[in-house]
Amino acid sequence: MERTFEGMVEYFGEEDTRRLLRRQPLLLGQNWSGMMDTLSRLIGVFGREGAVRIVNQTPTVMAYSWSTIQDKLLFVTEVMGRSIAEIVVWPALLTRSVEKRLRPRYELLRRLPREEQLSLGSMFGCTDEVFRKRYARKIALLAERDGGEKGGEETEGDGELEAEPDQR
């Protein structure tokens, strides 16, 4: 634990380390070399400024393995066609489950007209209940347009997701 704190102070400075630990005290129990691996790879993808912004906004991302983060990055950029810059704006996306939250909502909302594309935060930053209420009308219209397909049920059984990060 002491090694983790010392490493964080060395890398982030004492003030930023204390702020990060106030927001996410569990980081102190993480493996420092694993966190540094994740951070260095974040810097490789987002640049230093983007990586620092991500860690400042969503410190829990430091506790995730790179392979977990990479799966989410690939889904958002390759499947959804969204930009790296959008992830920097809403980095909490990196704490959401691809199978429980990202894919089901994307599959439902991807049928919206291009001009109605939502921000990543709007798509993934709310509970399932709020999501269904917020988009119920659009989901129903899409279902009608698509010939009576059942709309909205795709997110029903996805584990009653909370606004908190999904399990790694």
Side-chain angles (χ1 to χ4, degrees):
M1 201 161 28
E2 188 174 315
R3 167 78 177 117
T4 300
F5 181 74
E6 289 171 359
M8 289 179 77
V9 168
E10 184 179 313
Y11 192 83
F12 296 110
E14 190 168 339
E15 185 179 325
D16 285 344
T17 297
R18 291 188 187 286
R19 186 178 41 74
L20 286 171
L21 291 174
R22 270 194 300 277
R23 290 188 62 211
Q24 194 54 248
L26 294 177
L27 288 178
L28 202 51
Q30 297 297 314
N31 174 295
W32 176 244
S33 64
M35 288 194 321
M36 282 308 297
D37 178 60
T38 295
L39 182 60
S40 67
R41 291 173 188 248
L42 286 171
I43 291 170
V45 172
F46 298 100
R48 184 170 172 76
E49 187 177 313
V52 168
R53 182 172 177 180
I54 287 169
V55 171
N56 282 334
Q57 288 184 14
T58 312
T60 54
V61 77
M62 294 285 289
Y64 286 76
S65 70
W66 179 249
S67 64
T68 300
I69 293 170
Q70 190 174 31
D71 290 344
K72 296 164 191 187
L73 288 173
L74 291 173
F75 180 80
V76 173
T77 58
E78 293 183 13
V79 175
M80 292 180 63
R82 304 303 277 263
S83 73
I84 292 291
E86 289 179 275
I87 297 169
V88 174
V89 171
W90 200 73
L93 169 104
L94 298 173
T95 66
R96 304 304 196 252
S97 166
V98 170
E99 296 308 317
K100 291 181 180 180
R101 173 132 344 155
L102 304 182
R103 187 177 309 280
R105 291 185 184 189
Y106 167 72
E107 290 298 328
L108 187 62
L109 294 175
R110 73 184 172 109
R111 298 181 288 166
L112 290 174
R114 189 91 174 134
E115 61 273 5
E116 289 188 48
Q117 270 210 345
L118 305 168
S119 71
L120 295 176
S122 294
M123 290 174 78
F124 305 119
C126 58
T127 64
D128 284 344
E129 181 180 345
V130 169
F131 178 83
R132 283 188 289 272
K133 286 178 184 175
R134 187 179 289 166
Y135 301 111
R137 185 172 162 271
K138 288 182 182 193
I139 292 167
L141 290 172
L142 288 171
E144 278 179 33
R145 182 190 76 192
D146 293 345
E149 253 183 60
K150 291 182 180 179
E153 290 191 18
E154 294 175 50
T155 59
E156 288 291 333
D158 66 2
E160 292 304 312
L161 298 174
E162 307 278 327
E164 297 298 314
D166 296 324
Q167 296 298 313
R168 284 168 250 133

